[in-house]
Amino acid sequence: INIYMLVFQDLIRQHVQHVKEAAAEVFSEAASDDIFGAFWKEAFQITQKTADEMCAGIIAEKYPLAAIDPRLCTTKQQEEGAGELLQRLEAGTAAFPVGLYRFVERRLSMLEDALKEMFRNLRRYKMQICGDLFGGKNYSAFAGIETGCGDPHNHARSTAILQTDLGKMVYKPRPS
């Protein structure tokens, strides 16, 4: 899976760059890494889930009870299935679904849109935020960004914890 994830590296970098340009804010290296990590995590989770389903199919070929409920498999059977999937992927006798890249691309676009919206809202209400949270002092940079702090709703929008040069704040998206 990690090898397959390299396919998404340039795509993720593009999305990160779009978010940073739209945000028009200063980001520390750690905050930039956090944004990259949010996109990487999204792509990895989708790819991992797909690989798990492919692995379950391989296990079910050998152990029919696994087709009923994959939780009936032993750890050894799961390891066998994962090893077999890796061998098939490397040999070219198995491949990730054709639509996986497009699906990941769509999810990353939704995450990009959600992050752009967050930074637009932060920019729009910066004076009020700084007045309420930081005693009227304006933050000048983001030091860290923790995304996905709640369940994603409405096109990948979720709560985020933002560390600025003045302190932390929680961003909670509101319905449009």
Side-chain angles (χ1 to χ4, degrees):
I1 291 166
N2 289 333
I3 293 169
Y4 187 75
M5 288 297 297
L6 294 175
V7 169
F8 300 116
Q9 201 160 2
D10 288 337
L11 180 66
I12 290 170
R13 281 196 180 104
Q14 289 172 6
H15 284 290
V16 170
Q17 189 61 35
H18 295 162
V19 168
K20 289 172 68 177
E21 288 169 0
E25 295 281 354
V26 176
F27 294 94
S28 70
E29 188 173 332
S32 293
D33 289 347
D34 291 343
I35 295 170
F36 183 87
F39 283 100
W40 190 262
K41 179 181 172 186
E42 183 74 18
F44 183 81
Q45 287 175 337
I46 294 167
T47 306
Q48 180 67 49
K49 184 172 174 68
T50 302
D52 289 347
E53 290 171 5
M54 292 170 70
C55 186
I58 290 170
I59 293 168
E61 291 171 7
K62 195 170 184 179
Y63 305 101
L65 281 179
I68 298 168
D69 188 347
R71 294 174 296 183
L72 297 174
C73 295
T74 65
T75 302
K76 184 179 178 197
Q77 291 169 334
Q78 291 173 348
E79 289 171 356
E80 281 178 34
E84 179 67 23
L85 174 60
L86 181 60
Q87 287 177 352
R88 290 181 186 185
L89 288 169
E90 288 175 345
T93 58
F96 281 102
V98 174
L100 179 63
Y101 185 87
R102 290 220 296 310
F103 181 70
V104 170
E105 187 175 38
R106 170 112 172 88
R107 293 292 301 199
L108 295 181
S109 291
M110 289 169 54
L111 179 58
E112 177 184 321
D113 291 344
L115 290 172
K116 285 178 175 178
E117 176 187 281
M118 177 181 74
F119 286 114
R120 266 193 317 272
N121 287 336
L122 289 170
R123 193 170 48 249
R124 178 181 297 151
Y125 299 108
K126 186 172 184 174
M127 297 303 288
Q128 182 180 346
I129 291 167
C130 291
D132 292 347
L133 298 180
F134 305 122
K137 295 180 183 173
N138 283 340
Y139 59 84
S140 60
F142 287 101
I145 300 167
E146 185 179 346
T147 60
C149 296
D151 293 337
H153 298 284
N154 195 11
H155 305 288
R157 297 163 75 229
S158 69
T159 301
I161 298 173
L162 304 154
Q163 176 70 44
T164 71
D165 55 333
L166 297 178
K168 284 187 178 182
M169 63 178 145
V170 176
Y171 172 82
K172 184 164 173 37
R174 300 287 181 221
S176 302

